[in-house]
Amino acid sequence: MTSTSYRLQCAAAFAAACTLTACSDDDSSGSVTPPINTGTPITAFVSMNGPANAGEVARVDRTFQPIANYSVGQNQGVALDYYGNLFQSGDGANGAGVRVFARARSRENLAAFDPEAHDRHIGGVNTALVNPKGMCIAQSAGFLFIADQGASNIAVFGTTAGGDVPPLAIATLATPPWDVDFDELNDRLFVTLTDGTVAVVDGFIAGGFQGTPTRLIVPSDAAALPIGVNLHGIAYEAMSDRLIVSDVGDALVDNDGALYVIANASTADGNVRPVRTIAGPATRLGNPVDIALDGDRLRVAEKLNGGGQLLLFEDIFSGTLSDVAPKVSRANIGAESLVLEPYAPDYGREASDLDGAQAMLMGVLSTRNDASSSALDDIRRHDPATLLQSGQFNTGFPVESLDVDRLGDVYVTTSTGRILVLNRVATGRLGEDASVSRDRVIQTTGLISPKGLDVVDSRGLVFVAELSGLSGPCVLAYSTEAQAFGVGAPPL
């Protein structure tokens, strides 16, 4: 018997401009551009790595006043995806890996990492992670780029991956990296290296995640002599094509830190004199391990000077002084990394709530489960006007129903009691198979015969209609970030 379920995939369901491969006349990139409010940040998240607070993450306001504290369990870089899920890398007591703390902005004070119901992790021998430090997220493409200082490479995973899984790709570097930033519009990766230089890789995704730099930027003085020692934090401002990097200098010296502002970063090559250098005793820079840019304001995680501080510099681009005091300085022992939360997503209406002529259809997705055929169970994409098939994705499972979130991730129930989370399948990946490096399986003891489901982006939940569960027919709710392999994930 063939079981087929249909979901309409609409532009409004992605909350922004969305192009589906083979469904658009002018663009086949399959990209999703989330709406961004360029106003003042709401909060920042600060990763701790001090003697007594390693593994903690503080949520602070725009002047570093504490709001909440969380026990995520890692100790290095932090990044936020479009939904406000906090990614924290680490190489401490909980092993090398990345933890994903679901919907961090809505978690209660003192909340802890919860792998049983809410959260997930990427870690274990198969990940090949050694000392993961800074990270960044390609929001549209759905990739997580991790600077692995210990392995001297950039490890690439899908943003929906979880568990002890191999990376999708490894970009090997000649010099250990510390942090990364990605210009997704131009597919350009910037990497700070611990020898005082910046590697630039053009066409990083299109080129298959190769680590060979297109260019190497060497911060230098007026005599073209290198001044960089040990670069850590990095922030790229795409509109003006300017790059800011932090230099910790000697990690044991608490007053030799610096910030470099580099113009024309997309084309800069070789020995380049920064258009501004910030350094000196007034700056309080000793070991500026991470930075976060907000317009012309720069926030700095200073790990050594004064025992650890969070610093705010204003007029970072227009100022002319070198030895300038920060506008705000607040003690923060163990500050290792920080990320700004500049906006809350404008979720609008969910895909399942759209109806009527105002909904512009960009594609139709269907599931195929044909027990009489030897073909793989799959997801098919159809032209919205003719319903002619335009693409296929193979899951490897007997699929039932599906739903899609506004970034293009597809959630699928299977007749074997699983939920599949498939990275950006609605916006690309034609002719591909599911991959543990990009996708995830939520295997749960609560599901026996799951059928229809509904993803609620604004709540980070997926509701599943269970036909014959342990307590009979019911509807179960799971976190969209849930993860389980064998032991089962309890419903919320």
Side-chain angles (χ1 to χ4, degrees):
M1 181 180 70
T2 301
S3 172
T4 305
S5 63
Y6 289 88
R7 279 284 182 184
L8 297 183
Q9 183 180 336
C10 308
F14 293 92
C18 170
T19 303
L20 293 184
T21 303
C23 293
S24 171
D25 295 331
D26 55 9
D27 188 350
S28 61
S29 63
S31 63
V32 178
T33 306
I36 296 177
N37 180 352
T38 56
T40 304
I42 300 171
T43 62
F45 293 89
V46 182
S47 174
M48 311 294 191
N49 193 22
N53 62 7
E56 295 182 12
V57 173
R59 188 181 185 211
V60 300
D61 71 12
R62 52 191 98 152
T63 61
F64 308 128
Q65 293 284 359
I67 297 174
N69 201 66
Y70 311 112
S71 297
V72 181
Q74 291 292 9
N75 63 335
Q76 293 292 334
V78 282
L80 284 168
D81 70 7
Y82 167 70
Y83 292 120
N85 298 312
L86 181 77
F87 291 65
Q88 185 188 27
S89 68
D91 55 3
N94 290 310
V98 176
R99 289 188 169 188
V100 183
F101 193 62
R103 300 313 199 263
R105 64 169 61 93
S106 63
R107 300 291 278 268
E108 295 181 354
N109 184 34
L110 303 181
F113 181 77
D114 179 10
E116 292 297 320
H118 286 94
D119 309 316
R120 59 185 165 95
H121 73 280
I122 300 171
V125 174
N126 290 320
T127 67
L129 294 171
V130 180
N131 298 114
K133 303 295 184 181
M135 302 176 293
C136 67
I137 296 173
Q139 301 283 358
S140 176
F143 294 120
L144 175 67
F145 303 139
I146 305 170
D148 192 337
Q149 185 259 346
S152 196
N153 65 38
I154 306 298
V156 181
F157 293 87
T159 51
T160 56
D164 185 7
V165 298
L168 179 68
I170 290 178
T172 302
L173 299 167
T175 303
W178 193 275
D179 204 357
V180 288
D181 203 354
F182 185 60
D183 176 7
E184 188 160 9
L185 180 63
N186 295 296
D187 191 12
R188 181 174 293 118
L189 188 73
F190 296 92
V191 187
T192 49
L193 304 177
T194 53
D195 66 354
T197 64
V198 180
V200 184
V201 184
D202 294 328
F204 185 60
I205 294 177
F209 310 105
Q210 296 298 312
T212 303
T214 309
R215 293 180 303 285
L216 200 65
I217 300 174
V218 183
S220 303
D221 60 17
L225 298 175
I227 56 176
V229 178
N230 186 0
L231 300 188
H232 274 43
I234 186 169
Y236 177 65
E237 208 278 311
M239 184 174 296
S240 62
D241 193 21
R242 291 179 290 201
L243 187 70
I244 305 176
V245 294
S246 69
D247 190 349
V248 303
D250 187 329
L252 301 179
V253 177
D254 69 356
N255 62 2
D256 65 341
L259 303 171
Y260 307 126
V261 180
I262 297 168
N264 304 314
S266 64
T267 56
D269 192 10
N271 293 60
V272 175
R273 186 180 182 185
V275 294
R276 188 181 184 192
T277 296
I278 298 176
T283 67
R284 304 184 185 180
L285 296 172
N287 280 189
V289 287
D290 199 18
I291 57 177
L293 183 64
D294 161 38
D296 63 353
R297 296 172 293 272
L298 188 75
R299 289 167 173 82
V300 180
E302 166 55 47
K303 191 173 182 182
L304 191 59
N305 194 315
Q309 303 176 76
L310 296 173
L311 309 175
L312 170 62
F313 292 90
E314 293 189 334
D315 304 319
I316 191 73
F317 294 122
S318 58
T320 58
L321 296 177
S322 176
D323 190 11
V324 58
K327 179 72 173 181
V328 178
S329 174
R330 193 171 302 280
N332 194 291
I333 296 174
E336 183 72 39
S337 180
L338 76 165
V339 63
L340 298 180
E341 180 195 7
Y343 64 92
D346 178 12
Y347 290 105
R349 302 174 70 187
E350 305 292 341
S352 58
D353 297 331
L354 295 171
D355 57 14
Q358 76 279 7
M360 183 180 66
L361 302 183
M362 300 189 74
V364 176
L365 299 179
S366 69
T367 56
R368 179 180 183 275
N369 184 355
D370 188 355
S372 64
S373 171
S374 60
L376 289 174
D377 300 297
D378 54 36
I379 296 170
R380 296 184 175 189
R381 184 180 299 150
H382 310 267
D383 180 90
T386 65
L387 292 184
L388 293 176
Q389 182 176 328
S390 60
Q392 175 177 309
F393 181 85
N394 298 318
T395 68
F397 286 90
V399 294
E400 291 287 344
S401 296
L402 61 81
D403 197 6
V404 58
D405 71 10
R406 68 196 58 246
L407 289 183
D409 291 340
V410 174
Y411 290 71
V412 184
T413 53
T414 77
S415 59
T416 54
R418 292 172 171 86
I419 303 170
L420 311 181
V421 187
L422 307 174
N423 182 243
R424 304 305 195 264
V425 165
T427 56
R429 303 182 70 185
L430 294 178
E432 292 187 20
D433 297 336
S435 164
V436 294
S437 302
R438 292 194 68 174
D439 311 311
R440 186 170 82 253
V441 177
I442 303 174
Q443 182 170 309
T444 165
T445 55
L447 293 178
I448 298 176
S449 301
K451 299 299 180 181
L453 75 165
D454 187 25
V455 177
V456 184
D457 292 341
S458 59
R459 300 284 184 176
L461 296 172
V462 54
F463 294 100
V464 181
E466 168 57 50
L467 185 63
S468 57
L470 298 177
S471 302
C474 60
V475 174
L476 299 174
Y478 294 89
S479 165
T480 53
E481 304 307 309
Q483 169 184 319
F485 300 91
V487 298
L492 298 173

